[in-house]
mmCIF file of all heavy atoms in Angstrom:
data_model
loop_
_atom_site.group_PDB
_atom_site.id
_atom_site.type_symbol
_atom_site.label_atom_id
_atom_site.label_comp_id
_atom_site.label_asym_id
_atom_site.label_seq_id
_atom_site.Cartn_x
_atom_site.Cartn_y
_atom_site.Cartn_z
ATOM 1 N N SER V 211 0.810 -1.216 0.027
ATOM 2 C CA SER V 211 0.008 0.027 -0.012
ATOM 3 C C SER V 211 0.829 1.272 0.006
ATOM 4 O O SER V 211 0.378 2.322 -0.430
ATOM 5 C CB SER V 211 -0.975 -0.020 1.188
ATOM 6 O OG SER V 211 -0.242 -0.078 2.397
ATOM 7 N N ALA V 212 2.080 1.213 0.423
ATOM 8 C CA ALA V 212 2.898 2.364 0.472
ATOM 9 C C ALA V 212 3.462 2.710 -0.935
ATOM 10 O O ALA V 212 3.867 3.868 -1.158
ATOM 11 C CB ALA V 212 4.151 2.170 1.409
ATOM 12 N N VAL V 213 3.391 1.851 -1.878
ATOM 13 C CA VAL V 213 3.795 2.105 -3.235
ATOM 14 C C VAL V 213 2.725 2.885 -3.979
ATOM 15 O O VAL V 213 1.617 2.367 -4.132
ATOM 16 C CB VAL V 213 4.148 0.822 -4.009
ATOM 17 C CG1 VAL V 213 4.458 1.143 -5.472
ATOM 18 C CG2 VAL V 213 5.280 0.092 -3.305
ATOM 19 N N GLU V 214 2.985 4.139 -4.283
ATOM 20 C CA GLU V 214 1.989 4.971 -4.965
ATOM 21 C C GLU V 214 1.945 4.766 -6.433
ATOM 22 O O GLU V 214 0.909 4.924 -7.115
ATOM 23 C CB GLU V 214 2.276 6.457 -4.657
ATOM 24 C CG GLU V 214 2.050 6.823 -3.194
ATOM 25 C CD GLU V 214 0.588 6.656 -2.802
ATOM 26 O OE1 GLU V 214 -0.267 6.990 -3.552
ATOM 27 O OE2 GLU V 214 0.377 6.231 -1.629
ATOM 28 N N ALA V 215 3.102 4.415 -7.024
ATOM 29 C CA ALA V 215 3.170 4.163 -8.455
ATOM 30 C C ALA V 215 4.339 3.304 -8.730
ATOM 31 O O ALA V 215 5.267 3.210 -7.883
ATOM 32 C CB ALA V 215 3.299 5.480 -9.198
ATOM 33 N N LEU V 216 4.398 2.705 -9.906
ATOM 34 C CA LEU V 216 5.577 1.964 -10.284
ATOM 35 C C LEU V 216 5.743 1.968 -11.800
ATOM 36 O O LEU V 216 4.791 2.080 -12.593
ATOM 37 C CB LEU V 216 5.560 0.538 -9.750
ATOM 38 C CG LEU V 216 4.533 -0.479 -10.277
ATOM 39 C CD1 LEU V 216 5.026 -1.152 -11.563
ATOM 40 C CD2 LEU V 216 4.276 -1.506 -9.234
ATOM 41 N N THR V 217 6.986 1.847 -12.183
ATOM 42 C CA THR V 217 7.379 1.682 -13.586
ATOM 43 C C THR V 217 7.979 0.267 -13.623
ATOM 44 O O THR V 217 8.830 -0.087 -12.786
ATOM 45 C CB THR V 217 8.427 2.683 -14.063
ATOM 46 O OG1 THR V 217 7.836 4.022 -13.917
ATOM 47 C CG2 THR V 217 8.836 2.450 -15.527
ATOM 48 N N LEU V 218 7.519 -0.500 -14.603
ATOM 49 C CA LEU V 218 8.018 -1.864 -14.742
ATOM 50 C C LEU V 218 8.488 -2.036 -16.142
ATOM 51 O O LEU V 218 7.746 -1.810 -17.128
ATOM 52 C CB LEU V 218 6.947 -2.875 -14.435
ATOM 53 C CG LEU V 218 7.193 -4.376 -14.677
ATOM 54 C CD1 LEU V 218 8.396 -4.841 -13.802
ATOM 55 C CD2 LEU V 218 5.996 -5.202 -14.335
ATOM 56 N N ARG V 219 9.730 -2.436 -16.298
ATOM 57 C CA ARG V 219 10.351 -2.792 -17.587
ATOM 58 C C ARG V 219 10.537 -4.289 -17.647
ATOM 59 O O ARG V 219 11.128 -4.823 -16.719
ATOM 60 C CB ARG V 219 11.656 -2.078 -17.805
ATOM 61 C CG ARG V 219 11.532 -0.592 -17.797
ATOM 62 C CD ARG V 219 12.873 0.118 -17.994
ATOM 63 N NE ARG V 219 13.159 0.173 -19.436
ATOM 64 C CZ ARG V 219 14.320 0.369 -19.951
ATOM 65 N NH1 ARG V 219 15.420 0.503 -19.223
ATOM 66 N NH2 ARG V 219 14.475 0.410 -21.278
ATOM 67 N N VAL V 220 10.077 -4.863 -18.742
ATOM 68 C CA VAL V 220 10.362 -6.341 -18.959
ATOM 69 C C VAL V 220 11.231 -6.458 -20.176
ATOM 70 O O VAL V 220 10.896 -5.965 -21.252
ATOM 71 C CB VAL V 220 9.032 -7.098 -19.194
ATOM 72 C CG1 VAL V 220 9.312 -8.569 -19.530
ATOM 73 C CG2 VAL V 220 8.056 -6.970 -17.973
ATOM 74 N N HIS V 221 12.378 -7.044 -19.938
ATOM 75 C CA HIS V 221 13.384 -7.259 -21.022
ATOM 76 C C HIS V 221 13.190 -8.747 -21.481
ATOM 77 O O HIS V 221 13.135 -9.652 -20.716
ATOM 78 C CB HIS V 221 14.827 -7.139 -20.462
ATOM 79 C CG HIS V 221 15.149 -5.897 -19.866
ATOM 80 N ND1 HIS V 221 15.975 -4.971 -20.493
ATOM 81 C CD2 HIS V 221 14.816 -5.295 -18.704
ATOM 82 C CE1 HIS V 221 16.097 -3.898 -19.703
ATOM 83 N NE2 HIS V 221 15.438 -4.038 -18.640
ATOM 84 N N LYS V 222 13.152 -8.907 -22.819
ATOM 85 C CA LYS V 222 13.037 -10.187 -23.422
ATOM 86 C C LYS V 222 14.253 -10.300 -24.440
ATOM 87 O O LYS V 222 14.029 -10.155 -25.647
ATOM 88 C CB LYS V 222 11.688 -10.370 -24.112
ATOM 89 C CG LYS V 222 11.422 -11.724 -24.633
ATOM 90 C CD LYS V 222 10.006 -11.790 -25.215
ATOM 91 C CE LYS V 222 9.731 -13.191 -25.721
ATOM 92 N NZ LYS V 222 8.361 -13.252 -26.208
ATOM 93 N N PRO V 223 15.419 -10.521 -23.878
ATOM 94 C CA PRO V 223 16.669 -10.458 -24.726
ATOM 95 C C PRO V 223 16.705 -11.574 -25.758
ATOM 96 O O PRO V 223 17.399 -11.422 -26.780
ATOM 97 C CB PRO V 223 17.775 -10.532 -23.761
ATOM 98 C CG PRO V 223 17.158 -11.213 -22.487
ATOM 99 C CD PRO V 223 15.752 -10.746 -22.458
ATOM 100 N N ASP V 224 15.980 -12.676 -25.506
ATOM 101 C CA ASP V 224 16.069 -13.789 -26.512
ATOM 102 C C ASP V 224 14.790 -13.896 -27.325
ATOM 103 O O ASP V 224 14.420 -15.054 -27.736
ATOM 104 C CB ASP V 224 16.356 -15.048 -25.736
ATOM 105 C CG ASP V 224 17.692 -15.064 -25.037
ATOM 106 O OD1 ASP V 224 18.660 -14.545 -25.589
ATOM 107 O OD2 ASP V 224 17.792 -15.576 -23.940
ATOM 108 N N ALA V 225 14.151 -12.739 -27.578
ATOM 109 C CA ALA V 225 12.933 -12.787 -28.369
ATOM 110 C C ALA V 225 13.170 -13.440 -29.706
ATOM 111 O O ALA V 225 14.151 -13.121 -30.345
ATOM 112 C CB ALA V 225 12.372 -11.353 -28.528
ATOM 113 N N PRO V 226 12.244 -14.242 -30.160
ATOM 114 C CA PRO V 226 12.453 -14.942 -31.478
ATOM 115 C C PRO V 226 12.111 -13.986 -32.650
ATOM 116 O O PRO V 226 11.018 -14.068 -33.232
ATOM 117 C CB PRO V 226 11.460 -16.098 -31.379
ATOM 118 C CG PRO V 226 10.404 -15.624 -30.534
ATOM 119 C CD PRO V 226 11.049 -14.692 -29.503
ATOM 120 N N VAL V 227 13.054 -13.144 -32.994
ATOM 121 C CA VAL V 227 12.898 -12.222 -34.105
ATOM 122 C C VAL V 227 13.908 -12.589 -35.174
ATOM 123 O O VAL V 227 14.976 -13.136 -34.817
ATOM 124 C CB VAL V 227 12.939 -10.729 -33.700
ATOM 125 C CG1 VAL V 227 11.794 -10.383 -32.803
ATOM 126 C CG2 VAL V 227 14.229 -10.406 -32.986
ATOM 127 N N LYS V 228 13.684 -12.226 -36.402
ATOM 128 C CA LYS V 228 14.569 -12.632 -37.513
ATOM 129 C C LYS V 228 15.756 -11.693 -37.695
ATOM 130 O O LYS V 228 16.511 -11.891 -38.605
ATOM 131 C CB LYS V 228 13.831 -12.825 -38.749
ATOM 132 C CG LYS V 228 12.815 -13.938 -38.669
ATOM 133 C CD LYS V 228 12.086 -14.204 -39.951
ATOM 134 C CE LYS V 228 10.937 -15.186 -39.738
ATOM 135 N NZ LYS V 228 11.157 -16.430 -40.244
ATOM 136 N N MET V 229 15.856 -10.660 -36.852
ATOM 137 C CA MET V 229 16.916 -9.725 -37.023
ATOM 138 C C MET V 229 17.708 -9.729 -35.704
ATOM 139 O O MET V 229 17.249 -10.217 -34.685
ATOM 140 C CB MET V 229 16.397 -8.275 -37.265
ATOM 141 C CG MET V 229 15.568 -8.129 -38.492
ATOM 142 S SD MET V 229 16.469 -8.361 -40.000
ATOM 143 C CE MET V 229 17.425 -6.855 -40.041
ATOM 144 N N THR V 230 18.970 -9.247 -35.737
ATOM 145 C CA THR V 230 19.798 -9.194 -34.533
ATOM 146 C C THR V 230 19.430 -7.950 -33.770
ATOM 147 O O THR V 230 19.455 -6.863 -34.320
ATOM 148 C CB THR V 230 21.308 -9.189 -34.938
ATOM 149 O OG1 THR V 230 21.568 -10.375 -35.698
ATOM 150 C CG2 THR V 230 22.127 -9.096 -33.672
ATOM 151 N N VAL V 231 19.012 -8.152 -32.520
ATOM 152 C CA VAL V 231 18.760 -7.066 -31.591
ATOM 153 C C VAL V 231 19.363 -7.419 -30.266
ATOM 154 O O VAL V 231 19.533 -8.569 -29.887
ATOM 155 C CB VAL V 231 17.237 -6.772 -31.390
ATOM 156 C CG1 VAL V 231 16.595 -6.380 -32.720
ATOM 157 C CG2 VAL V 231 16.502 -8.024 -30.858
ATOM 158 N N ASP V 232 19.757 -6.350 -29.528
ATOM 159 C CA ASP V 232 20.300 -6.614 -28.172
ATOM 160 C C ASP V 232 19.175 -7.002 -27.151
ATOM 161 O O ASP V 232 19.426 -7.833 -26.308
ATOM 162 C CB ASP V 232 20.988 -5.330 -27.649
ATOM 163 C CG ASP V 232 22.300 -5.050 -28.356
ATOM 164 O OD1 ASP V 232 22.905 -5.977 -28.864
ATOM 165 O OD2 ASP V 232 22.734 -3.853 -28.361
ATOM 166 N N ASP V 233 17.988 -6.403 -27.304
ATOM 167 C CA ASP V 233 17.008 -6.630 -26.346
ATOM 168 C C ASP V 233 15.608 -6.142 -26.898
ATOM 169 O O ASP V 233 15.588 -5.204 -27.756
ATOM 170 C CB ASP V 233 17.340 -5.793 -25.064
ATOM 171 C CG ASP V 233 16.677 -6.344 -23.842
ATOM 172 O OD1 ASP V 233 15.869 -7.278 -23.908
ATOM 173 O OD2 ASP V 233 16.982 -5.788 -22.745
ATOM 174 N N ILE V 234 14.585 -6.681 -26.390
ATOM 175 C CA ILE V 234 13.250 -6.261 -26.653
ATOM 176 C C ILE V 234 12.696 -5.828 -25.224
ATOM 177 O O ILE V 234 12.782 -6.661 -24.332
ATOM 178 C CB ILE V 234 12.334 -7.263 -27.246
ATOM 179 C CG1 ILE V 234 12.871 -7.778 -28.591
ATOM 180 C CG2 ILE V 234 10.895 -6.751 -27.371
ATOM 181 C CD1 ILE V 234 12.841 -6.775 -29.726
ATOM 182 N N ILE V 235 12.198 -4.679 -25.109
ATOM 183 C CA ILE V 235 11.778 -4.179 -23.790
ATOM 184 C C ILE V 235 10.367 -3.493 -23.897
ATOM 185 O O ILE V 235 10.131 -2.790 -24.794
ATOM 186 C CB ILE V 235 12.727 -3.110 -23.194
ATOM 187 C CG1 ILE V 235 14.139 -3.652 -23.097
ATOM 188 C CG2 ILE V 235 12.278 -2.592 -21.815
ATOM 189 C CD1 ILE V 235 15.242 -2.572 -22.823
ATOM 190 N N ILE V 236 9.512 -3.886 -22.970
ATOM 191 C CA ILE V 236 8.277 -3.147 -22.858
ATOM 192 C C ILE V 236 8.341 -2.427 -21.449
ATOM 193 O O ILE V 236 8.922 -2.966 -20.499
ATOM 194 C CB ILE V 236 7.004 -3.968 -23.025
ATOM 195 C CG1 ILE V 236 6.838 -4.998 -21.919
ATOM 196 C CG2 ILE V 236 7.009 -4.623 -24.362
ATOM 197 C CD1 ILE V 236 5.872 -4.585 -20.905
ATOM 198 N N GLU V 237 7.748 -1.314 -21.380
ATOM 199 C CA GLU V 237 7.705 -0.558 -20.144
ATOM 200 C C GLU V 237 6.245 -0.057 -19.891
ATOM 201 O O GLU V 237 5.655 0.496 -20.813
ATOM 202 C CB GLU V 237 8.662 0.653 -20.217
ATOM 203 C CG GLU V 237 8.679 1.479 -18.992
ATOM 204 C CD GLU V 237 9.609 2.675 -19.086
ATOM 205 O OE1 GLU V 237 10.865 2.366 -19.204
ATOM 206 O OE2 GLU V 237 9.186 3.813 -19.054
ATOM 207 N N ILE V 238 5.813 -0.263 -18.685
ATOM 208 C CA ILE V 238 4.482 0.237 -18.292
ATOM 209 C C ILE V 238 4.661 1.057 -17.021
ATOM 210 O O ILE V 238 5.579 0.847 -16.229
ATOM 211 C CB ILE V 238 3.444 -0.895 -18.079
ATOM 212 C CG1 ILE V 238 3.791 -1.775 -16.861
ATOM 213 C CG2 ILE V 238 3.231 -1.709 -19.331
ATOM 214 C CD1 ILE V 238 2.686 -2.776 -16.545
ATOM 215 N N TYR V 239 3.764 1.989 -16.828
ATOM 216 C CA TYR V 239 3.725 2.855 -15.615
ATOM 217 C C TYR V 239 2.311 2.695 -15.060
ATOM 218 O O TYR V 239 1.343 2.874 -15.813
ATOM 219 C CB TYR V 239 4.024 4.276 -16.014
ATOM 220 C CG TYR V 239 3.893 5.222 -14.822
ATOM 221 C CD1 TYR V 239 4.943 5.404 -13.946
ATOM 222 C CD2 TYR V 239 2.782 5.998 -14.679
ATOM 223 C CE1 TYR V 239 4.809 6.222 -12.836
ATOM 224 C CE2 TYR V 239 2.634 6.861 -13.598
ATOM 225 C CZ TYR V 239 3.670 6.996 -12.684
ATOM 226 O OH TYR V 239 3.556 7.853 -11.621
ATOM 227 N N ARG V 240 2.179 2.359 -13.818
ATOM 228 C CA ARG V 240 0.915 2.305 -13.141
ATOM 229 C C ARG V 240 0.924 3.042 -11.861
ATOM 230 O O ARG V 240 1.861 3.017 -11.101
ATOM 231 C CB ARG V 240 0.514 0.786 -12.869
ATOM 232 C CG ARG V 240 0.370 -0.044 -14.114
ATOM 233 C CD ARG V 240 -0.813 0.408 -14.974
ATOM 234 N NE ARG V 240 -1.001 -0.349 -16.131
ATOM 235 C CZ ARG V 240 -0.500 -0.069 -17.367
ATOM 236 N NH1 ARG V 240 0.213 1.042 -17.501
ATOM 237 N NH2 ARG V 240 -0.708 -0.790 -18.380
ATOM 238 N N ARG V 241 -0.202 3.775 -11.657
ATOM 239 C CA ARG V 241 -0.336 4.531 -10.361
ATOM 240 C C ARG V 241 -1.483 3.861 -9.531
ATOM 241 O O ARG V 241 -2.362 3.244 -10.110
ATOM 242 C CB ARG V 241 -0.751 5.969 -10.701
ATOM 243 C CG ARG V 241 0.342 6.772 -11.284
ATOM 244 C CD ARG V 241 -0.018 8.197 -11.620
ATOM 245 N NE ARG V 241 -1.303 8.695 -11.025
ATOM 246 C CZ ARG V 241 -1.735 9.888 -11.235
ATOM 247 N NH1 ARG V 241 -1.108 10.678 -12.071
ATOM 248 N NH2 ARG V 241 -2.834 10.247 -10.734
ATOM 249 N N ARG V 242 -1.342 3.982 -8.265
ATOM 250 C CA ARG V 242 -2.357 3.395 -7.363
ATOM 251 C C ARG V 242 -3.743 3.835 -7.698
ATOM 252 O O ARG V 242 -4.682 3.088 -7.671
ATOM 253 C CB ARG V 242 -2.036 3.813 -5.925
ATOM 254 C CG ARG V 242 -3.088 3.310 -4.929
ATOM 255 C CD ARG V 242 -2.537 3.134 -3.544
ATOM 256 N NE ARG V 242 -1.350 2.323 -3.478
ATOM 257 C CZ ARG V 242 -1.365 0.985 -3.587
ATOM 258 N NH1 ARG V 242 -2.497 0.346 -3.791
ATOM 259 N NH2 ARG V 242 -0.220 0.326 -3.523
ATOM 260 N N ASP V 243 -3.960 5.100 -8.102
ATOM 261 C CA ASP V 243 -5.309 5.572 -8.401
ATOM 262 C C ASP V 243 -5.774 5.084 -9.777
ATOM 263 O O ASP V 243 -6.953 5.394 -10.211
ATOM 264 C CB ASP V 243 -5.345 7.127 -8.358
ATOM 265 C CG ASP V 243 -4.436 7.796 -9.359
ATOM 266 O OD1 ASP V 243 -3.970 7.108 -10.303
ATOM 267 O OD2 ASP V 243 -4.222 8.972 -9.201
ATOM 268 N N GLY V 244 -5.003 4.272 -10.453
ATOM 269 C CA GLY V 244 -5.415 3.646 -11.700
ATOM 270 C C GLY V 244 -5.300 4.524 -12.878
ATOM 271 O O GLY V 244 -5.622 4.119 -14.017
ATOM 272 N N MET V 245 -4.870 5.744 -12.754
ATOM 273 C CA MET V 245 -4.811 6.704 -13.825
ATOM 274 C C MET V 245 -3.463 6.641 -14.505
ATOM 275 O O MET V 245 -2.393 6.781 -13.803
ATOM 276 C CB MET V 245 -5.118 8.144 -13.382
ATOM 277 C CG MET V 245 -6.423 8.302 -12.708
ATOM 278 S SD MET V 245 -7.817 7.941 -13.842
ATOM 279 C CE MET V 245 -7.608 9.242 -15.013
ATOM 280 N N PRO V 246 -3.405 6.423 -15.794
ATOM 281 C CA PRO V 246 -2.102 6.473 -16.482
ATOM 282 C C PRO V 246 -1.560 7.894 -16.520
ATOM 283 O O PRO V 246 -2.336 8.849 -16.374
ATOM 284 C CB PRO V 246 -2.384 5.981 -17.895
ATOM 285 C CG PRO V 246 -3.831 6.155 -18.074
ATOM 286 C CD PRO V 246 -4.505 6.146 -16.669
ATOM 287 N N GLN V 247 -0.236 7.967 -16.593
ATOM 288 C CA GLN V 247 0.349 9.366 -16.606
ATOM 289 C C GLN V 247 1.227 9.455 -17.812
ATOM 290 O O GLN V 247 1.771 8.592 -18.321
ATOM 291 C CB GLN V 247 1.141 9.586 -15.374
ATOM 292 C CG GLN V 247 1.586 11.038 -15.266
ATOM 293 C CD GLN V 247 2.133 11.338 -13.871
ATOM 294 O OE1 GLN V 247 2.045 10.591 -12.913
ATOM 295 N NE2 GLN V 247 2.653 12.490 -13.710
#
């Protein structure tokens, strides 16, 4: 309950793509009040 908001990054470095990439990352931000910022 003390966490008011968080940013979460998920790295998928071994994503099955046909090109060479270092990493695939998605990032989400969530606030306790449910409102995106």
Side-chain angles (χ1 to χ4, degrees):
S211 60
V213 176
E214 292 297 322
L216 67 86
T217 300
L218 174 60
R219 297 179 85 199
V220 176
H221 301 253
K222 189 175 180 180
D224 298 321
V227 295
K228 295 183 190 253
M229 301 294 286
T230 301
V231 298
D232 288 336
D233 202 356
I234 302 293
I235 302 169
I236 65 100
E237 180 178 295
I238 65 171
Y239 176 82
R240 297 294 180 265
R241 290 179 14 182
R242 177 158 303 286
D243 61 15
M245 300 299 293
Q247 188 167 353

